[in-house]
Amino acid sequence: MRLILLGPPGAGKGTQAQRLVERHGIVQLSTGDMLRAAVAAGTEIGKRAKAVMDAGQLVSDEIVIGIVADRIDEPDARKGFVLDGFPRTIAQAEALDAMLSEKGLKLDAVIEFKVDNEKLVDRIVKRAKDAEAAGQPVRKDDNPEVFAKRLQEFASLTAALSPYYLKSGLLRTVDGMAPIDEVSEEINQILAEAVSA
Ligand code: AMP
């Protein structure tokens, strides 16, 4: 199974991706996690991405396309994957299409999380507080100012992916403001239909 979770930051993509990993034995490919790991490890890519990420802007298509291309070639991704945070631009979506068709692979579904942007800010503030209370590191870009920039980047670059995937017939929508279990249930139903279609 190969899926894309599409939606603004804080929509719940990461939480649902983890559940899909457990349920279907696929891997979660989060470009945000990969980039944060590169920053923490101080790699060349990490050095190039750090300031851009801290400012809530998008890292270049060239960098993220490169890391996804390498990652989907790894053996654990053969059984399937859920992409979380990629693609984020039309250029990334086109590059993904090219990568998959070259390998003779297809996407099963693109699941879009519909959300209320104003409530997302409350969610992200809570995510930062919860991380702090649990003694975990707080993401530098999880503060209201940078978050506003991330939402803006979503609106100007990533929102265009909905019509892109609508055209290809892959787009399905879930209510990202519903309780976590309900969102999971909606996704499970979508996938049951997509796989039996
Ligand atoms: P995320 O964890 O998905 O919210 O991503 C955190 C940050 O990593 C984003 O604000 C971007 O700076 C960068 N990033 C993650 N995925 C991508 C992507 N597909 N394209 C460009 N930048 C990305």
Side-chain angles (χ1 to χ4, degrees), residues 10-12 15-16 19 113-116 119-120 123 174-187:
T15 303
Q16 296 299 332
R19 291 184 166 203
F113 290 56
K114 285 273 185 215
V115 290
D116 172 342
K119 294 204 177 114
L120 286 186
R123 257 197 201 177
V174 296
D175 173 9
M177 301 319 288
I180 293 175
D181 286 345
E182 278 177 34
V183 180
S184 302
E185 194 41 49
E186 256 196 278
I187 293 176

Side-chain angles (χ1 to χ4, degrees), residues 50-140:
K50 187 178 184 311
V52 180
M53 292 173 75
D54 286 350
Q57 291 167 333
L58 292 192
V59 172
S60 76
D61 287 334
E62 174 223 336
I63 289 183
V64 283
I65 290 167
I67 57 177
V68 170
D70 288 345
R71 187 63 188 86
I72 63 175
D73 268 343
E74 286 182 29
D76 65 346
R78 273 191 209 131
K79 215 180 141 195
F81 50 76
V82 48
L83 284 163
D84 151 22
F86 179 93
R88 260 177 156 100
T89 63
I90 296 283
Q92 292 178 20
E94 288 173 347
L96 177 66
D97 282 347
M99 268 180 237
L100 293 177
S101 80
E102 201 179 283
K103 296 176 207 304
L105 300 174
K106 278 203 167 83
L107 290 169
D108 294 290
V110 177
I111 300 175
E112 183 188 31
F113 290 56
K114 285 273 185 215
V115 290
D116 172 342
N117 275 11
E118 277 170 30
K119 294 204 177 114
L120 286 186
V121 180
D122 299 340
R123 257 197 201 177
I124 217 77
V125 169
K126 184 175 179 304
R127 177 157 90 181
K129 273 194 195 141
D130 288 351
E132 203 171 7
Q136 291 162 354
V138 177
R139 280 175 54 170
K140 233 181 159 174

Side-chain angles (χ1 to χ4, degrees), residues 18-31:
Q18 281 164 14
R19 291 184 166 203
L20 290 165
V21 165
E22 278 165 34
R23 194 179 166 96
H24 298 283
I26 54 179
V27 289
Q28 175 185 4
L29 305 186
S30 155
T31 40

